[in-house]
Amino acid sequence: MAAAGFLAETGRARVDLFRKRLRRAAADPASEEAIHDLRVSIRRVLAWIAVRDALLGPDRGLRAARSSLKGLMSPLGKLRDAHVKRDLIRTILPKGDEPSYLYALLVAGDVQLREEKVGGLLGRKSARRIRVPLPKARSGRGSGGDASAAGSRHLSTLGRAVRKHRKSALDPSNPDALHRMRLAFKKYRYAWEVLEPLLPRAARNGGKRLHDFQTLLGTIHDCDVILADVRSFRDGCLGERAECALETAVRALRSEKFRDFERIAEHETRAAPMIV
């Protein structure tokens, strides 16, 4: 299949979904599901742009679109982090000590402020006017050649970026390394989604495993974020040296999920060969 035709088709589907998700989130910024779906749709468009650059070369017309989409991701990410903190508190610590309770109040207020900010941002005309130019689906000269070979090379490059972080990410005391691996893996997973129709039939069965592994890495990262945040609040604002109940509960969850990560990263070569 010619690269230009393939990318025009896959790009149009992702852009259309992004616009649908944008309208939904703008109407209800307090909806965690709507915010999550919008963030995922943006990541899929950004991954498509990266694949397009790899297969057809950089396009100046996409620079503004990429910049605008990334501009949306920053406040959306902060709102999503606030939602995650609130949900973790509700799930693992229905009752806690005073520092945990005071931190929960802080998070609740942060959620409300960020929902209001995101609601205003998504309601602006500038957000609705984001345009992502698609390549013309033509054949012959200028069509970009065969997409399968170029797509495979692009995935191989992204896979190597994931693998280089594996050893340091397996150190439980090095959350920064695991975070870098998580970011590299997200790029691989979303590029894989774009290129999935071109992959051999056997390789297409890995979609759920990629999703589950990304979710696992995300959960561990969420634990690291909230542990650092609570520690800063407890020590800096309250002057409390002892770990609070919320930290203890989150640390236990992180240890459980990290053991799952170790098992997959060390042994599951068939399920996720790009990791090992």
Side-chain angles (χ1 to χ4, degrees):
M1 179 184 292
F6 170 75
L7 288 166
E9 179 180 343
T10 54
R12 185 174 297 105
R14 282 162 176 76
V15 172
D16 289 346
L17 184 59
F18 158 68
R19 298 199 182 286
K20 179 180 178 181
R21 301 300 192 206
L22 178 62
R23 290 192 297 269
R24 180 186 173 201
D28 187 9
S31 169
E32 293 182 50
E33 182 181 4
I35 294 299
H36 169 75
D37 289 346
L38 176 58
R39 293 181 74 246
V40 170
S41 71
I42 292 175
R43 290 197 183 283
R44 284 174 172 153
V45 174
L46 289 172
W48 176 87
I49 291 175
V51 170
R52 187 205 181 286
D53 285 351
L55 271 60
L56 296 181
D59 186 330
R60 291 183 179 180
L62 288 171
R63 292 178 183 175
R66 183 190 286 112
S67 177
S68 296
L69 291 169
K70 287 185 176 180
L72 284 179
M73 284 298 285
S74 179
L76 288 172
K78 291 177 181 178
L79 174 56
R80 181 263 178 194
D81 288 345
H83 282 157
V84 167
K85 292 173 186 176
R86 182 186 64 188
D87 292 345
L88 271 174
I89 292 170
R90 288 174 174 175
T91 302
I92 67 179
L93 194 70
K95 294 182 180 179
D97 50 25
E98 185 177 7
S100 300
Y101 173 73
L102 293 175
Y103 179 75
L105 290 178
L106 179 70
V107 169
D110 189 42
V111 168
Q112 184 176 358
L113 289 174
R114 295 196 181 282
E115 286 176 349
E116 293 173 356
K117 182 176 181 179
V118 165
L121 176 65
L122 298 183
R124 295 176 185 171
K125 291 182 179 179
S126 58
R128 298 194 298 269
R129 289 176 177 173
I130 295 176
R131 296 289 181 267
V132 182
L134 302 175
K136 294 182 179 179
R138 57 183 182 273
S139 58
R141 185 178 178 83
S143 64
D146 180 63
S148 299
S152 295
R153 290 193 296 270
H154 183 56
L155 280 180
S156 295
T157 299
L158 295 177
R160 288 193 295 272
V162 177
R163 286 195 298 273
K164 77 176 184 178
H165 297 297
R166 173 184 173 274
K167 184 176 181 180
S168 54
L170 282 167
D171 178 359
S173 65
N174 192 351
D176 289 340
L178 188 137
H179 177 51
R180 289 191 292 271
M181 180 178 180
R182 183 182 71 91
L183 294 178
F185 186 81
K186 282 201 293 187
K187 291 182 179 180
Y188 180 94
R189 182 246 169 146
Y190 286 119
W192 183 93
E193 283 188 348
V194 176
L195 297 165
E196 181 186 7
L198 306 177
L199 300 176
R201 184 176 298 276
R204 298 179 194 175
N205 296 329
K208 186 178 185 304
R209 287 171 175 168
L210 295 177
H211 171 271
D212 291 346
F213 188 71
Q214 181 178 322
T215 299
L216 176 63
L217 293 179
T219 300
I220 297 171
H221 176 66
D222 291 338
C223 289
D224 289 332
V225 169
I226 197 169
L227 283 170
D229 203 31
V230 177
R231 181 170 61 249
S232 176
F233 172 75
R234 166 178 52 78
D235 188 38
C237 297
L238 303 180
E240 295 281 348
R241 294 300 184 95
E243 186 175 88
C244 67
L246 178 59
E247 290 171 275
T248 302
V250 173
R251 197 176 303 283
L253 175 62
R254 187 195 192 278
S255 297
E256 174 191 338
K257 297 300 181 181
F258 195 84
R259 287 192 294 271
D260 292 338
F261 164 66
E262 289 178 313
R263 175 180 55 79
I264 295 173
E266 296 228 9
H267 304 298
E268 190 65 286
T269 57
R270 289 176 300 171
M274 80 297 297
I275 301 167
V276 299

